[in-house]
Amino acid sequence: MTGRSYLSLLSLAPDSTVTAPSGGTVAMTVDGAQTPVEPGRTYTGSITPTPA
């Protein structure tokens, strides 16, 4: 992930990894609330993942 994204659905496989450039982390909000990015989960609503 290289920049902020705007999604309404995000489904992550159980063995998935979401990273930012250079091995950085990704911060995410769902409907305005800070939410951890967890493998095997499906998120719905106003989703905004951002490289941190």
Side-chain angles (χ1 to χ4, degrees):
M1 151 169 265
T2 59
R4 180 176 288 184
S5 298
Y6 301 94
L7 309 169
S8 59
L9 173 70
L10 176 62
S11 185
L12 300 172
D15 59 349
S16 65
T17 303
V18 179
T19 60
S22 300
T25 61
V26 175
M28 182 172 75
T29 61
V30 177
D31 294 330
Q34 192 68 30
T35 304
V37 179
E38 298 177 352
R41 297 237 4 232
T42 297
Y43 303 92
T44 59
S46 177
I47 306 162
T48 309
T50 306

